[in-house]
Amino acid sequence: MKKFRDVAIVGVGLHPWGVFPDRSMPEMAVEAISEALADAKMEWREIQSMVAGTYLWVSQREGMFGILSGTAISAAMGGIGIPITSCANACATGGAIFREAYLAVASGLYDTAIAVAADRSAGGFFRPQSQDPQFDLDYIRYVMTGETNPAYWAMECQRRMHDLGTTEDDLAMVKVITSKIAPLNPKTRYKKAFTKQQVLESPMVCAPLHLMEICATSDGAGAIIVCAADKAKKYTKKPVLVEAAVIGSPTFGDHTIPLTYLSAYPRPGVGILTESRNAIAAAYKMSGRKPEDIDVIELPDNSSWHYFAYLDCMLQAKDGEAEKLLRSGKVDPIDGELPVCPSGGLGACGEAVVAQGLFQIYELVKQLRGEAGERQVKNNPKVALAQTYGYAGNNAACILSKAW
Amino acid sequence: MTAKKQVPIIEGLFTWPSDKPQLIASRCKKCGTVTFPKAAFCANPSCEKVRENVEQIKLSNKGKLWTWTVQQYAPPAPFRKEPLPFQPYAIGMVDTEEGLRVLGILTSNDNLKIGMTLEMTTGKLYEDAEKEYITWMWKPV
């Protein structure tokens, strides 16, 4: 692979996660950008390239400006004539636009670039965006079966329990350990730490998943500024090196029926979550890192099932290893040898679909810099890994490290 | 009082009217890949994208349950399911004899087990003054 020039993260910003009915999508993005610019001690006019996340929720709320989110955000910031792209890769959008910003600088075309995404979720279950019974597969699937996102997660979870012996207690403990962080992170929506009993007593949504074992949908926004590594010192004493920024897509013959589809054609030896396994393999390859090099992880804990499935995937471990790691305390988000979801994860913030990947990157940058306050992990991390998983077979992952 | 006419919510996904309804899928004549709903092209990346290579088939209506869950809350519109108030219902992924894994509502919430044999049938989701609107469902044998 041709060697690009090195790229570092020099500024990060987040609008808090929550429900903000009176704030527009571009407004939230402006706040995230302003925080990222202040973090990098950078002027808006120093940004040379921009890529924005876009998702259909915002289009339902804000119409054309929701779809052309980059254009709308730039207008709110004040146009500076730079190239802007808007991108929709479902829940993997944050990671996908981070990769685009990285490539813009790594290629040598630009010295600075920003990835920005804001989302205003509709609340409750996802539903189709059209009423087209001929060509919108998502609509067809939904009206014929009523399959909700948690139903899909629950079906995968049920299968995992059958194949690997995951228990109800294991599922509940995911919420117990990730929610420990909830009161400690000013950017999260929820501030409550849960006991196992509280999780198991919460209403059953789709067996085996209880309400407290699935994530909410939230509003939120994030912005990440990247810069050529050899110029990063101008902006920060603690540049974070981007060792890998990748996107994964599925392999033909994947064993699962991804959300929005009605069928799969499983091929021997392919397995589930191929888009995620492909992205992780690419991230390790690009960085030259191995799973044992990773010190801190942000993963997409949309449900307790995701936590286990993604921990296995991200560590390229044998299926079922994740449950053992959780039981052993090794992945405690603060005290663990390998802290997982020190942000509090999706459980504590709720998913703001397109911005979620940037939330993860923000957290890992704060942890690597030692700026995470009360939720600072204790293992002095040097290398960090994040991954987001998206609707219909989208994925993005990145590996970051200290460059000082 | 004659029974209301039963019509699929969306036409063309299963054979109807029929005593033994079957899902309508497509199969690649070159590599055998099966797709549901039927598609214009074979989904195998190694296959040429030629419309003529793909034929329409009817799936056997026997399958084995790969996984399942019970939805305890009403999915929002445009999904409609009566009677109201909402009754929790099971949904599953079913492996058919053609090697396809298909999603579908299950006719029962009880005693569901991974690996059990199911048969495809149809079931009503809602009705209006003239018609009953149906979808395919999987029934434990």
Side-chain angles (χ1 to χ4, degrees), chain A residues 125-128 130-131 133 137 139-148 150-152 154-156 158-159 162-163 203-208 252 255-257 261-267 272, chain B residues 9-10 13-14 31-37 43-45 65-79 89 91-93 98-105 114 125 134-136:
Chain A
F125 292 121
F126 277 30
R127 44 202 176 270
S130 92
Q131 302 269 320
L137 274 179
Y139 177 79
I140 296 167
R141 165 199 68 113
Y142 190 76
V143 297
M144 297 310 273
T145 70
E147 182 201 33
T148 59
Y152 169 70
M155 284 190 272
E156 284 288 7
Q158 195 92 261
R159 185 74 208 188
H162 173 268
D163 291 346
M204 186 65 85
V205 176
C206 294
F252 171 70
H255 288 199
T256 200
I257 305 171
Y261 292 91
L262 273 168
S263 71
Y265 189 61
R267 300 289 79 203
I272 62 164
Chain B
I9 298 168
I10 296 174
L13 296 168
F14 54 89
C31 76
T33 293
V34 183
T35 308
F36 172 76
N44 184 338
L65 190 59
W66 190 68
T67 187
W68 57 276
T69 186
V70 175
Q71 300 210 110
Q72 298 289 344
Y73 290 87
F79 183 69
Y89 72 95
I91 180 169
M93 297 185 192
E98 295 78 5
L100 196 70
R101 184 161 290 157
V102 186
L103 194 66
I105 292 172
I114 284 173
L125 284 185
I134 60 170
T135 187
W136 72 91

Side-chain angles (χ1 to χ4, degrees), chain A residues 177 180-181 184 329-343 367 372-380:
Chain A
I177 76 158
K180 286 194 336 190
I181 302 290
L184 309 179
K330 191 177 169 181
V331 290
D332 184 277
I334 294 184
D335 302 318
E337 279 170 66
L338 174 62
V340 171
C341 290
S343 66
Q367 292 288 352
E374 282 185 281
R375 65 182 193 284
Q376 181 65 46
V377 299
K378 301 224 170 64
N379 66 341
N380 188 22

Side-chain angles (χ1 to χ4, degrees), chain A residues 354-369:
Chain A
V354 298
Q356 208 57 46
L358 303 184
F359 186 100
Q360 294 181 325
I361 292 165
Y362 172 97
E363 181 64 24
L364 294 179
V365 167
K366 290 284 180 188
Q367 292 288 352
L368 289 169
R369 288 181 186 167

Side-chain angles (χ1 to χ4, degrees), chain A residues 85-216:
Chain A
T85 313
S86 299
C87 150
N89 274 30
C91 319
T93 300
I97 62 177
F98 176 67
R99 172 178 174 266
E100 293 297 323
Y102 161 82
L103 289 173
V105 174
S107 66
L109 278 174
Y110 308 100
D111 285 338
T112 59
I114 191 164
V116 56
D119 212 321
R120 294 180 62 225
S121 300
F125 292 121
F126 277 30
R127 44 202 176 270
Q129 305 297 302
S130 92
Q131 302 269 320
D132 177 349
Q134 189 179 1
F135 294 122
D136 183 358
L137 274 179
D138 191 36
Y139 177 79
I140 296 167
R141 165 199 68 113
Y142 190 76
V143 297
M144 297 310 273
T145 70
E147 182 201 33
T148 59
N149 288 30
Y152 169 70
W153 306 337
M155 284 190 272
E156 284 288 7
C157 194
Q158 195 92 261
R159 185 74 208 188
R160 186 177 178 98
M161 292 168 96
H162 173 268
D163 291 346
L164 303 171
T166 315
T167 66
E168 298 239 340
D169 270 15
D170 289 335
L171 298 172
M173 284 311 290
V174 170
K175 180 69 174 183
V176 172
I177 76 158
T178 55
S179 70
K180 286 194 336 190
I181 302 290
L184 309 179
N185 184 349
K187 302 287 186 180
T188 53
R189 173 176 173 182
Y190 300 104
K191 304 297 181 191
K192 183 177 169 181
F194 284 83
T195 64
K196 191 168 79 177
Q197 191 178 355
Q198 287 170 324
V199 177
L200 291 171
E201 284 173 359
S202 70
M204 186 65 85
V205 176
C206 294
L209 295 174
H210 296 81
L211 186 61
M212 289 306 146
E213 292 166 336
I214 61 174
C215 74

